[in-house]
Amino acid sequence: MYLLSLLLTPISECERNDLLEVIQLRTDKKSTIYCSQWAPEGWLGKLSDGPLADTILDRIRTSSYTILLKGRSLREDYSKIK
């Protein structure tokens, strides 16, 4: 299993190419968890649109389940425990 934190910072063309390569190597062979602060609907814009972004999202969408977490962040509560 591989955990990929997705789109926390702007992504360059080189990074998009690397991301596509990793996704292609793992698709239908290994488990990958994609985590993002952004809803999946916003990923295309974060990947700078275009054919490469479409290809990346197509690979992710065709073999994945989407789990959206809602509610308030518990980060503040846990930071007070220290």
Side-chain angles (χ1 to χ4, degrees):
M1 185 182 335
Y2 184 74
L3 176 63
L4 181 62
S5 195
L6 191 60
L7 306 173
L8 291 176
T9 58
I11 188 168
S12 70
E13 184 174 351
C14 182
E15 292 169 323
R16 281 191 299 277
N17 285 322
D18 291 343
L19 178 59
L20 178 58
E21 185 176 340
V22 168
I23 291 170
Q24 286 181 321
L25 289 171
R26 298 184 64 81
T27 299
D28 297 327
K29 295 178 186 118
K30 304 217 178 224
S31 298
T32 306
I33 298 173
Y34 301 94
C35 305
S36 179
Q37 299 281 55
W38 308 102
E41 300 80 34
W43 290 5
L44 183 62
K46 294 289 181 181
L47 287 168
S48 300
D49 222 328
L52 189 57
D54 286 333
T55 303
I56 290 168
L57 293 179
D58 182 59
R59 299 293 189 286
I60 293 173
R61 288 182 186 137
T62 58
S63 61
S64 67
Y65 298 96
T66 301
I67 301 171
L68 297 175
L69 303 178
K70 295 184 180 191
R72 66 182 193 84
S73 172
L74 297 178
R75 194 171 293 143
E76 285 184 33
D77 295 343
Y78 287 121
S79 67
K80 292 176 185 175
I81 294 174
K82 294 180 184 177

